[in-house]
Amino acid sequence: MSGQFSGILKGNLPPTDKFLYMESYGCQMNFSDSEIVASVMADLGYGVTEELEQADVVMINTCSIRENAEQKVRARLQHFRAMKRHKPTMIIGVLGCMAERLKNKLLEQEQLVDLVVGPDAYKDLPGLLEQVQGGQQAVNVLLSREETYAEIAPVRLGSNGVTAFVTIMRGCDNMCSFCVVPFTRGRERSRDPHSIYQECRELWAQGYKEVTLLGQNVDSYRWQAPAGETKGEESPTFLFADLLAYIASISPDLRVRFSTSHPKDITDEVLHTMARHDNLCKNIHLPVQSGSSKVLTRMNRTYDRPWYLERVEAIRRILPDCAITTDIIVGFCGETEEDHRETLSLMKLVRFDSAYMFAYSERPGTLAARKYPDDVPEEIKKRRLAEVMALQDQHSVERNQEEECKVHSVLIEGKSKRSDQDWCGRNSRNKMVVFPGKDVELARDFIGAKDLSPGSYVDVTVHRSTKATLMGQVVEFDAVQA
Ligand code: 5AD
Ligand code: SF4
């Protein structure tokens, strides 16, 4: 899973006199989990606050994927600890992957926190908090083979009211050798499709227009109703392509995205399903990690370079308009200059729309940490990362230039971050499109009653672009000007 961001989560809960302050780090899945935690805490009477000083409980949802992610969290924990000296009743909890990886160490050796809760134990929070309020430290890091939090209605935090994340599966069975996730999030399990459908339908009823279905490896989504529910008959297996079609059927105006796909599992059936439904957004995040088959073998990715390129070819054939984004790791154990050049050459063949790029960071306990020395010197990792990033910048610029002079259907998310004179939203390929707000006002006069506010669709002609953004004007306004 990618999308490295951190943030303070806001919520809009009923008035209360007990407050939870949350920070989330890492992947979208963690942000989605924080919404489950906020829901469990709301049942205990806690409202969400953005003011740390106001908090009775401080929770930090953590990421272990690279060492620097953990360092950031440690710095925040020291800060919370210092605050606690002035407010001893404040409870500090660590959630998520670091809770799972470090377990008692955070409580015992470092005395940094009161509460440690792993990703499968959030329903246990009421009992754990009670324990802490009774003067003890509390920990639950048990991983589950079943937990999917299917019945919990997440509290939407920091929401724009237009787009929402919906978790469809948890854990990962892949065992990529560099990755700590299978150890921190446990075995893969899929969520009941009816509960996913219900959650998406409710979001639609509340005015949301886009859902992103989340899982570490969505292509291996697999659901079979338990035998008891099918009166003894063998129930059909529900696969990811089936789920996509099911969720897309809620409304043609509900956009559906998903992340993350795995090159070994993404099927033509998924691609054909995407082609059949306009509202299945044309963007696939397909982490390649390396362009060298030798490195991919050591990474235990279970595909090689030709396989990846064949999957890209299938996407281009079946979905000619689809954006492809990726994750790349440089400097993995034993990566030679030749291997690195293969990554650059694969990038040139695919010309990704965008990429998350990382230097390899050894994670204790992973297969790679046990089996291979972390033998690429830091300076070489840095140089290779800079080369990969420079090439990707070039490709992002070119890919965005290809979007110019075309009309894009944009789902308006709100005002642009840079200027409240501008609106912004995404096209189907997940590219941010910015356009002047006055266009919207003027266009409203020309196109009558059409509502052009967050959550509505608007056609925008793109005139300019940078590596990260497309800039344009509302089509009707363009036509008036011409
Ligand atoms: N070092 C560097 N990057 C990593 N990723 C996962 N584990 C590591 C690691 N140990 C990257 C992969 C993955 C993304 C979420 O994070 O590219 O796809
Ligand atoms: Fe980690 Fe690989 Fe699973 Fe992604 S697919 S979470 S990289 S083990």
Side-chain angles (χ1 to χ4, degrees):
M1 185 115 274
S2 54
Q4 269 49 54
F5 39 76
S6 67
I8 298 165
L9 299 170
K10 299 175 219 157
N12 45 355
L13 295 167
T16 169
D17 57 354
K18 291 195 287 185
F19 288 101
L20 164 70
Y21 171 92
M22 283 191 93
E23 284 183 19
S24 298
Y25 293 83
C27 61
Q28 292 162 336
M29 193 77 126
N30 253 12
F31 279 67
S32 179
D33 277 5
S34 293
E35 299 189 327
I36 288 166
V37 170
S39 174
V40 174
M41 294 294 284
D43 288 345
L44 295 175
Y46 285 86
V48 176
T49 178
E50 284 174 60
E51 309 298 330
L52 187 48
E53 292 73 24
Q54 200 185 18
D56 301 289
V57 177
V58 173
M59 282 180 178
I60 180 159
N61 199 351
T62 61
C63 171
S64 289
I65 201 119
R66 281 168 292 278
E67 199 187 342
N68 56 10
E70 291 200 350
Q71 278 162 358
K72 247 189 258 168
V73 167
R74 279 181 188 286
R76 286 307 280 160
L77 286 174
Q78 312 276 6
H79 177 68
F80 300 150
R81 195 78 215 160
M83 282 189 64
K84 193 175 158 110
R85 279 192 216 111
H86 307 290
K87 188 175 175 185
T89 54
M90 190 171 93
I91 295 171
I92 303 174
V94 172
L95 315 176
C97 290
M98 267 174 87
E100 197 61 49
R101 204 179 79 72
L102 299 170
K103 303 186 171 82
N104 292 325
K105 198 167 164 231
L106 289 163
L107 291 169
E108 288 162 9
Q109 288 174 11
E110 306 182 20
Q111 301 265 318
L112 275 174
V113 296
D114 307 298
L115 180 69
V116 174
V117 193
D120 286 344
Y122 299 143
K123 284 203 294 220
D124 200 22
L125 271 168
L128 295 168
L129 273 173
E130 218 170 275
Q131 229 172 294
V132 175
Q133 278 149 354
Q136 292 168 291
Q137 293 180 320
V139 53
N140 185 347
V141 288
L142 286 178
L143 288 171
S144 156
R145 277 175 175 263
E146 286 94 32
E147 184 61 83
T148 60
Y149 300 113
E151 72 292 359
I152 294 188
V155 170
R156 304 291 160 188
L157 297 165
S159 166
N160 56 14
V162 179
T163 61
F165 295 126
V166 175
T167 297
I168 63 163
M169 57 203 295
R170 301 183 68 84
C172 184
D173 280 353
N174 279 330
M175 287 295 180
C176 300
S177 63
F178 51 80
C179 188
V180 78
V181 167
F183 303 96
T184 59
R185 287 189 163 268
R187 299 305 297 268
E188 183 179 291
R189 67 222 95 122
S190 298
R191 178 177 166 191
D192 181 338
H194 305 295
S195 81
I196 300 171
Y197 182 89
Q198 271 317 323
E199 186 175 334
C200 295
R201 257 216 66 92
E202 266 161 43
L203 285 164
W204 170 249
Q206 289 162 20
Y208 284 83
K209 295 288 170 50
E210 181 181 297
V211 291
T212 302
L213 308 180
L214 294 180
Q216 306 296 344
N217 178 8
V218 290
D219 299 291
S220 60
Y221 178 89
R222 192 181 184 83
W223 173 263
Q224 199 154 21
E229 289 177 22
T230 53
K231 302 191 180 82
E233 286 168 34
E234 175 85 344
S235 70
T237 308
F238 207 76
L239 297 176
F240 185 54
D242 305 316
L243 181 70
L244 281 179
Y246 188 34
I247 303 303
S249 75
I250 290 175
S251 165
D253 284 335
L254 177 70
R255 278 185 171 178
V256 182
R257 301 187 183 280
F258 55 87
S259 186
T260 297
S261 300
H262 196 298
K264 90 173 150 57
D265 293 320
I266 188 165
T267 59
D268 285 1
E269 192 44 40
V270 164
L271 305 179
H272 287 299
T273 306
M274 288 174 75
R276 277 197 294 274
H277 297 266
D278 278 349
N279 58 332
L280 292 178
C281 289
K282 304 300 180 276
N283 170 38
I284 296 177
H285 186 64
L286 197 66
V288 64
Q289 312 297 1
S290 168
S292 151
S293 292
K294 270 195 316 219
V295 173
L296 288 169
T297 303
R298 275 201 300 280
M299 286 179 163
N300 200 26
R301 288 290 287 178
T302 65
Y303 57 85
D304 58 10
R305 175 187 172 101
W307 174 279
Y308 187 88
L309 290 172
E310 189 282 327
R311 289 290 76 202
V312 169
E313 201 274 316
I315 296 171
R316 302 274 188 242
R317 179 167 29 89
I318 299 169
L319 299 166
D321 267 351
C322 190
I324 305 179
T325 59
T326 201
D327 293 345
I328 293 171
I329 298 178
V330 302
F332 184 65
C333 314
E335 185 190 72
T336 62
E337 226 30 59
E338 172 67 27
D339 294 322
H340 172 58
R341 278 196 295 276
E342 288 203 60
T343 297
L344 295 170
S345 91
L346 181 135
M347 291 173 73
K348 285 181 194 157
L349 286 173
V350 181
R351 294 173 62 246
F352 294 106
D353 288 83
S354 70
Y356 294 101
M357 296 151 282
F358 313 101
Y360 173 60
S361 157
E362 186 177 85
R363 306 312 293 132
T366 54
L367 292 184
R370 281 182 270 151
K371 227 168 137 185
Y372 309 116
D374 180 11
D375 55 1
V376 177
E378 275 316 304
E379 316 82 75
I380 293 185
K381 284 184 187 170
K382 256 197 208 153
R383 195 253 302 151
R384 290 182 188 167
L385 185 60
E387 286 175 8
V388 162
M389 284 177 157
L391 182 61
Q392 183 52 48
D393 275 0
Q394 197 184 314
H395 292 157
S396 300
V397 165
E398 289 168 9
R399 283 290 183 201
N400 281 357
Q401 278 167 354
E402 290 166 16
E403 306 265 8
E404 291 177 14
C405 306
K406 292 181 189 155
V407 175
H408 302 250
S409 173
V410 174
L411 172 60
I412 303 179
E413 289 180 20
K415 288 279 159 76
S416 134
K417 269 194 201 139
R418 294 238 174 107
S419 147
D420 67 359
Q421 303 286 308
D422 292 340
W423 292 84
C424 70
R426 285 165 205 278
N427 68 5
S428 173
R429 286 181 292 285
N430 208 26
K431 302 209 174 163
M432 189 52 88
V433 184
V434 176
F435 53 96
K438 69 172 168 30
D439 291 7
V440 176
E441 295 309 317
L442 277 171
R444 206 196 300 271
D445 293 340
F446 286 98
I447 52 180
K450 191 175 171 194
D451 177 25
L452 293 170
S453 52
S456 58
Y457 290 95
V458 62
D459 286 336
V460 176
T461 312
V462 167
H463 294 304
R464 288 183 304 124
S465 64
T466 65
K467 67 176 179 183
T469 315
L470 310 179
M471 279 88 76
Q473 283 194 323
V474 173
V475 163
E476 286 82 354
F477 184 67
D478 243 16
V480 170
Q481 276 199 323

